[in-house]
Amino acid sequence: MFFGQDHFFEELFCICIQLVNKTWKEMRATQEDFDKVLQVVREQITRTLALKPTSLELFKTRVNTLNYSEILKLRQTERLHQEETLAVPVLELRERLKPELLELIRQQRLLHLCEGTLFRKISSRRRQDKLWYCRLSPNHKVLHYGDVEEGVRSPPIESLPEKIPVADMKMLLVGKECPHTKEKSSGKQNKDVLELAFSVVYDVEEYCLNFVAPTRYEFCLWMDGLNVLLGKEMTSERTQTDLDVLLSMELKLRLLDLENISIPDTPPPVPKPPSNLNFCYDFS
């Protein structure tokens, strides 16, 4: 790289000063962040040089590819390696814990459905003053629902006259697939409704119970809970978030006793069996 140019250091300086400007914009830096920007640029240059590029053009291409977001990802990965959360035994433990924690999330979703949620009705006149409540029976076999008055927080199951047996539920529709969103025209309000709309198809695909969740959080919990009732996987983004949090907490608890002890990538060798097994106490 050095002997390929007549004015190597001048050319290298031009590439690096352009990199400073590029990184400055990516970091949205201010004057107080000058030292932070230079630290990132230093890291970009040293990491690229460590790859041993054979020409200045190759160096320029690689150093510009290694932008600020890539540097952050590399730092995060290295930090995880330092904490040994990416060690092979820890990753195996993580996989073993997943089914247990997913079951915990499933139970939480079903409990939330048993508590129930207050939904607003979307009418053709765009009046949203009517409310209805839906909740799952404690034995997870029936969905109870019915109209409620304003101010009612958690009506008892007995006061909800309508019901759908879970065994009759066929499938779950989301967003544009729902019958109550197909007739709606475009617009910001309807776009918000589309993101929170879902329908339960029951009987012989003739009847639908249509929902519009009050919040994205409620939407995720109901989608997961209904998928559990239908025997399907939980697919909402909330599931992955909850699983990551629980896995992180559980791993930290399990690894507390191993603090400052290096975890080997491979298990230690099994010792040879003893020459004889006559060391046991003879009860006879």
Side-chain angles (χ1 to χ4, degrees):
M1 207 165 84
F2 178 80
F3 292 107
Q5 295 285 335
D6 292 336
H7 304 285
F8 171 73
F9 284 109
E10 289 88 338
E11 293 287 346
L12 186 65
F13 176 80
C14 289
I15 292 169
C16 294
I17 203 70
Q18 287 172 0
L19 181 68
V20 171
N21 292 330
K22 179 173 169 284
T23 306
W24 185 281
K25 286 181 181 177
E26 287 171 359
M27 293 176 69
R28 297 178 181 176
T30 59
Q31 194 172 350
E32 291 79 17
D33 302 322
F34 190 76
D35 289 338
K36 291 179 185 175
V37 175
L38 284 190
Q39 281 175 11
V40 174
V41 172
R42 179 192 292 270
E43 197 171 332
Q44 287 169 319
I45 294 168
T46 52
R47 283 182 185 275
T48 307
L49 287 174
L51 298 171
K52 297 183 180 178
T54 51
S55 68
L56 208 57
E57 279 301 315
L58 196 57
F59 171 81
K60 183 179 179 180
T61 306
R62 286 184 175 175
V63 84
N64 281 307
T65 307
L66 200 64
N67 53 28
Y68 178 55
S69 61
E70 288 296 318
I71 290 289
L72 286 180
K73 285 178 189 173
L74 288 167
R75 285 178 175 176
Q76 174 76 0
T77 306
E78 285 168 2
R79 186 177 63 80
L80 289 171
H81 273 295
Q82 283 177 351
E83 293 175 359
E84 293 184 325
T85 50
L86 290 180
V88 175
V90 178
L91 290 175
E92 287 178 2
L93 175 62
R94 188 183 173 91
E95 288 303 313
R96 284 179 63 184
L97 290 172
K98 261 187 187 178
E100 180 186 336
L101 296 177
L102 275 170
E103 184 56 35
L104 189 67
I105 294 171
R106 284 191 197 96
Q107 294 303 322
Q108 188 270 334
R109 299 299 193 256
L110 291 174
L111 280 171
H112 184 78
L113 264 61
C114 289
E115 289 173 11
T117 304
L118 194 65
F119 297 96
R120 289 192 175 275
K121 284 189 175 180
I122 303 292
S123 64
S124 56
R125 295 178 184 175
R126 295 187 179 179
R127 291 184 62 194
Q128 298 186 354
D129 50 347
K130 290 187 178 179
L131 301 170
W132 66 290
Y133 203 88
C134 186
R135 66 190 302 175
L136 182 66
S137 62
N139 62 4
H140 305 162
K141 289 186 177 179
V142 183
L143 271 179
H144 296 265
Y145 65 98
D147 294 346
V148 292
E149 297 296 325
E150 188 83 48
V152 177
R153 290 281 176 178
S154 182
I157 283 181
E158 296 77 24
S159 66
L160 303 173
E162 306 291 335
K163 60 183 179 180
I164 301 171
V166 170
D168 289 349
M169 287 166 46
K170 303 297 179 189
M171 68 171 83
L172 200 56
L173 303 176
V174 186
K176 291 180 181 177
E177 300 171 348
C178 301
H180 62 306
T181 59
K182 284 180 181 176
E183 303 131 8
K184 300 290 178 186
S185 59
S186 60
K188 186 179 185 303
Q189 184 183 2
N190 291 323
K191 188 182 175 185
D192 295 340
V193 168
L194 273 177
E195 290 177 354
L196 300 174
F198 59 98
S199 299
V200 174
V201 181
Y202 60 100
D203 265 342
V204 194
E205 298 185 12
E206 291 180 7
Y207 303 103
C208 286
L209 183 61
N210 301 319
F211 299 79
V212 177
T215 61
R216 186 70 191 174
Y217 174 75
E218 285 287 342
F219 174 82
C220 290
L221 264 58
W222 271 85
M223 286 298 298
D224 287 342
L226 291 170
N227 273 322
V228 170
L229 292 174
L230 289 167
K232 296 180 180 178
E233 293 293 321
M234 297 180 291
T235 53
S236 76
E237 67 264 20
R238 188 79 201 178
T239 301
Q240 193 55 49
T241 308
D242 290 351
L243 183 61
D244 289 341
V245 170
L246 289 170
L247 273 172
S248 176
M249 288 171 61
E250 191 66 27
L251 279 173
K252 283 175 182 175
L253 286 170
R254 297 283 182 106
L255 299 176
L256 271 177
D257 295 337
L258 298 176
E259 196 172 356
N260 299 324
I261 297 173
S262 59
I263 302 171
D265 285 340
T266 55
V270 179
K272 291 180 180 179
S275 55
N276 63 69
L277 301 173
N278 298 333
F279 50 82
C280 288
Y281 184 78
D282 187 4
F283 288 98
S284 60

